[in-house]
Amino acid sequence: MILGVGTDLANIDRIAGVLDRFGDRFRNRVFTEREQRKAVYRSKTEAGEASTYAKRWAAKEACSKALGTGLRMGIAWRDMAVTNLPTGQPVMAVTGWAADRLAQMTPAGHIATIHVSLTDDHPWAQAFVVIEATPTPSVDGAD
């Protein structure tokens, strides 16, 4: 079952301007160390640092919407983190208040999964998040 859906659109040039103006203060407030390492790596590619951060910014906004709160009620930017599987597929992990909210939303006997899709086409970066709950597999193998 779908527990929440969120989407966000971020302007890559706006994020580049924020990076120029606030630098590490912005990076450290919003992004995890792992997200920052990914952006540094991507700064050497055509994708670029600002694009990488803009997609992750959009994903965090979209996730907060899917959690049903937006960026209110104690959620912190770094409570939501985008990483990538070896295949390149983006995944969202939540900690802190965001994890608490996800647990509250998830019905008993279910496991929540956060699906995330990212895309960019300069000057725009977009993210789409779906939170899904699936029944917990039974211990004895019977469903």
Side-chain angles (χ1 to χ4, degrees), residues 3-138:
L3 300 179
V5 176
T7 188
D8 194 66
L9 186 66
N11 185 288
I12 297 168
D13 293 332
R14 178 176 166 257
I15 296 297
V18 172
L19 287 165
D20 288 342
R21 186 170 177 197
F22 297 105
D24 285 342
R25 192 168 125 207
F26 171 67
R27 286 180 190 91
N28 294 331
R29 180 173 163 251
V30 176
F31 302 99
T32 65
E33 288 180 27
R34 189 168 181 185
E35 289 172 312
Q36 291 180 48
R37 284 194 305 272
K38 177 66 115 181
V40 167
Y41 172 77
R42 292 252 174 101
S43 70
K44 301 172 180 108
T45 68
E46 187 178 325
E49 180 185 30
S51 174
T52 300
Y53 281 129
K55 286 185 281 190
R56 279 150 179 76
W57 172 279
K60 291 169 187 260
E61 286 274 7
C63 184
S64 71
K65 293 171 185 176
L67 289 169
T69 64
L71 287 161
R72 302 181 209 180
M73 298 174 58
I75 200 166
W77 287 103
R78 292 171 56 109
D79 284 347
M80 301 166 287
V82 178
T83 59
N84 296 85
L85 297 176
T87 60
Q89 177 185 349
V91 293
M92 176 74 69
V94 292
T95 59
W97 188 93
D100 293 344
R101 173 67 181 145
L102 182 61
Q104 291 169 357
M105 293 171 62
T106 306
H110 287 73
I111 297 172
T113 303
I114 302 173
H115 302 278
V116 60
S117 180
L118 305 174
T119 191
D120 64 293
D121 186 7
H122 197 273
W124 301 106
Q126 183 178 27
F128 190 76
V129 170
V130 175
I131 302 174
E132 173 191 28
T134 54
T136 305
S138 62

